[in-house]
Amino acid sequence: LFLGRSLLGALDIGYRAVHPRMPLHPAWLTYPLALPDGEPRVVLLAAVSLLPGTLAADLRGSTLVVHALVPGARDEVRALEARVARVYGMDSSGGAAVAGPA
């Protein structure tokens, strides 16, 4: 996932940078984190900068500040947080995942 997203991000931003109209849409986003402190949050913060056109710029308590160059970055961060939560056996709110019937 991370290797693929890194490559996609590099290609996307490279294209936008050389495009005659430079279709960049810079914005600062604040994103409330559901993941708990510790390793899951550290993994998310490191991985956010691998998404196309995003940079994890600051962490203020439980709020992540992201600098984004592309529209839709908030949805990308949300989807990444859900993936990290699943890797650590949590639901998307940061709580322990409940297994269904076998």
Side-chain angles (χ1 to χ4, degrees):
L1 170 73
F2 300 126
L3 182 59
R5 299 305 282 173
S6 295
L7 181 60
L8 179 63
L11 293 173
D12 180 63
I13 296 303
Y15 165 77
R16 290 171 187 270
V18 299
H19 191 279
R21 290 200 173 114
M22 284 187 63
L24 300 173
H25 306 280
W28 289 99
L29 307 174
T30 55
Y31 181 82
L33 295 171
L35 291 173
D37 285 336
E39 189 175 329
R41 192 174 283 186
V42 170
V43 168
L44 175 68
L45 295 177
V48 162
S49 295
L50 299 176
L51 295 173
T54 61
L55 171 70
D58 197 7
L59 180 62
R60 298 176 184 157
S62 290
T63 302
L64 175 61
V65 178
V66 177
H67 185 261
L69 295 176
V70 295
R74 184 178 306 278
D75 293 336
E76 290 280 334
V77 173
R78 183 178 298 115
L80 181 61
E81 184 180 37
R83 273 186 180 240
V84 171
R86 284 193 306 271
V87 166
Y88 285 93
M90 296 176 243
D91 61 19
S92 60
S93 67
V98 178

